[in-house]
Amino acid sequence: QVQLVESGGGLVQAGGSLRLSCAASGSIFSINDMGWFRQAPGKQRELVASIIRGGITNYADSVKGRFIISRDNPKNTVYLQMNSLKPEDTAVYYCNAVLTTYTNVIPVNYWGQGTQVTVSS
């Protein structure tokens, strides 16, 4: 019943910006953590950025200073503002949320379907 839907991916030239959005929907009781992961071909999925409800953030060293993660708790939405994009940022970006529902009080890790980000040089 819970769904995470990403949007905002696309093709952008190096140095440009994109803003990814991920909206969680369904019978959600509470979202503990939200974040963004990415996976490039032949590479392991890696954490890009995460944010807890209180606003504490964590970034991969490769994106620190360029990306900004934020969330709108009433809307159950997390954003990833990506600036100064590099070709190395090309990957499928996945939204992630650790949440509880009204029927399951055990926190569960949910994933979005992924959105492609391609940065050309």
Side-chain angles (χ1 to χ4, degrees):
Q1 191 173 21
V2 174
Q3 290 185 328
L4 303 181
V5 180
E6 302 108 330
S7 63
L11 175 64
V12 65
Q13 63 183 7
S17 298
L18 285 173
R19 191 191 192 206
L20 305 183
S21 299
C22 173
S25 62
S27 300
I28 299 170
F29 178 76
S30 180
I31 300 178
N32 299 333
D33 309 321
M34 301 190 82
W36 291 93
F37 290 71
R38 68 185 182 187
Q39 188 166 21
K43 189 176 181 180
Q44 187 175 353
R45 185 175 298 188
E46 64 175 350
L47 173 68
V48 177
S50 64
I51 184 169
I52 65 174
R53 174 168 289 273
I56 298 175
T57 59
N58 183 49
Y59 296 93
D61 289 339
S62 59
V63 307
K64 196 171 298 182
R66 298 188 297 120
F67 292 8
I68 301 172
I69 189 171
S70 61
R71 62 189 287 176
D72 187 335
N73 291 331
K75 296 181 179 179
N76 290 333
T77 300
V78 63
Y79 306 94
L80 184 67
Q81 178 66 47
M82 304 186 294
N83 301 313
S84 301
L85 283 162
K86 305 175 181 179
E88 305 90 88
D89 296 317
T90 296
V92 177
Y93 284 70
Y94 296 91
C95 178
N96 172 263
V98 179
L99 57 84
T100 59
T101 68
Y102 288 105
T103 58
N104 187 2
V105 299
I106 305 300
V108 175
N109 196 352
Y110 287 87
W111 293 91
Q113 298 293 88
T115 183
Q116 178 71 47
V117 172
T118 302
V119 184
S120 64
S121 59

